[in-house]
């Protein structure tokens, strides 16, 4: 049985990067504390995860399931890297894609409930090799850009993890705070000003 791939561990005292060092939309200038994970680092790590997925699942048909909305950038970039590997290596993954939308946050707090919004009948995944998530498939492998160290964790760890981060509320790279900040390229820590400004 395969073990989980290693991740980049970001320490609790990581200072992040000054916003002035990056291209940040001016409408978010007062709403962010710092850049936590720069876009280039996200892309490099995602490329490595694609290699890990190919090594683990190459040669099998998989259904890549994207968890919307926050997962769409990571999903698209991961699949782009897998497609490059498919074209340029001896091992390839025949792939189809599907989407599911989940909602579990209000402001910066988990509601404790995961709501499935829209999406197809997940029974279509039965008997398939699924890269990301659900419903009695033949094989399930989960890829996640971020795993947060939090006292609320139940100990579950995805098979492919980009970064392990401290318990901070982060936005950007499609991760949102009440639908805002999805348009940031970097993963950033939201400021208290930003939380107040965009509070539901």
């Amino acid at each position: 049985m395969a073990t989980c791939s290693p991740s980049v561990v970001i320490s609790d005292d990581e200072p992040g990067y000054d916003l002035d060092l990056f291209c940040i939309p001016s409408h978010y200038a007062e709403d962010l504390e710092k850049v936590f994970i720069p876009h280039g680092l996200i892309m490099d790590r995602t490329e490595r995860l694609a290699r890990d997925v190919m090594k683990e699942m190459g040669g099998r048909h998989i259904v890549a399931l994207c968890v919307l909305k926050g997962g769409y950038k990571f999903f698209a970039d991961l699949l782009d890297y897998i497609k490059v590997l498919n074209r340029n290596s001896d091992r390839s993954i025949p792939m189809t894609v599907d989407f599911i939308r989940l909602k579990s946050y209000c402001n910066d707090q988990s509601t404790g409930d995961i709501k499935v919004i829209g999406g197809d009948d997940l029974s279509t995944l039965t008997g398939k090799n699924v890269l990301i998530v659900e419903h009695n498939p033949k094989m399930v492998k989960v890829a996640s850009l971020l795993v947060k160290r939090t006292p609320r964790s139940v100990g579950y760890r995805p098979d492919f993890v980009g970064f392990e981060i401290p318990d901070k509320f982060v936005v950007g790279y499609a991760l949102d705070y009440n639908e805002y900040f999805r348009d940031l390229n970097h993963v950033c820590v939201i400021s208290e000003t930003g939380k107040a400004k965009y509070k539901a």
Side-chain angles (χ1 to χ4, degrees):
M1 178 163 192
T3 59
C4 295
S5 70
S7 62
V8 173
V9 178
I10 299 174
S11 68
D12 290 346
D13 58 353
E14 168 62 41
Y17 302 91
D18 187 26
L19 297 173
D20 293 336
L21 298 173
F22 298 90
C23 296
I24 302 292
S26 59
H27 58 274
Y28 291 142
E30 302 299 317
D31 305 328
L32 301 169
E33 285 182 16
K34 59 188 171 185
V35 171
F36 206 50
I37 309 172
H39 185 256
L41 185 56
I42 293 168
M43 297 304 290
D44 192 77
R45 185 70 189 123
T46 302
E47 182 178 14
R48 177 52 199 246
L49 289 177
R51 287 176 49 197
D52 292 347
V53 169
M54 286 291 284
K55 183 177 178 184
E56 180 83 19
M57 301 183 79
R60 298 180 181 100
H61 176 269
I62 64 168
V63 177
L65 181 63
C66 177
V67 179
L68 298 171
K69 295 180 185 175
Y72 85 87
K73 289 281 294 167
F74 175 59
F75 181 80
D77 291 337
L78 181 66
L79 265 56
D80 282 347
Y81 283 123
I82 289 172
K83 289 188 297 188
V84 168
L85 292 169
N86 273 342
R87 289 191 306 266
N88 298 306
S89 70
D90 295 338
R91 198 170 196 192
S92 67
I93 298 178
M95 205 169 21
T96 56
V97 299
D98 208 343
F99 301 87
I100 186 170
R101 184 169 170 208
L102 303 179
K103 183 167 180 63
S104 64
Y105 274 82
C106 181
N107 298 320
D108 63 347
Q109 298 296 310
S110 173
T111 62
D113 292 327
I114 297 176
K115 293 183 174 65
V116 178
I117 302 167
D120 294 336
D121 177 9
L122 296 180
S123 66
T124 60
L125 302 177
T126 301
K128 305 277 177 62
N129 297 304
V130 178
L131 174 59
I132 308 171
V133 220
E134 236 313 319
H135 203 282
N136 197 27
K138 182 176 177 182
M139 176 195 303
V140 175
K141 297 290 181 182
V142 178
S144 180
L145 178 66
L146 304 174
V147 169
K148 194 179 287 188
R149 289 186 303 278
T150 171
R152 298 175 303 281
S153 173
V154 295
Y156 170 75
R157 186 161 181 93
D159 302 281
F160 308 99
V161 176
F163 301 91
E164 180 182 305
I165 65 170
D167 191 10
K168 297 182 184 298
F169 195 83
V170 294
V171 295
Y173 194 69
L175 302 172
D176 75 300
Y177 178 80
N178 296 329
E179 299 300 324
Y180 293 92
F181 302 100
R182 292 192 197 277
D183 54 333
L184 286 171
N185 282 333
H186 314 287
V187 171
C188 299
V189 176
I190 189 171
S191 68
E192 292 303 316
T193 303
K195 288 179 185 178
K197 182 176 179 180
Y198 298 108
K199 190 173 183 170

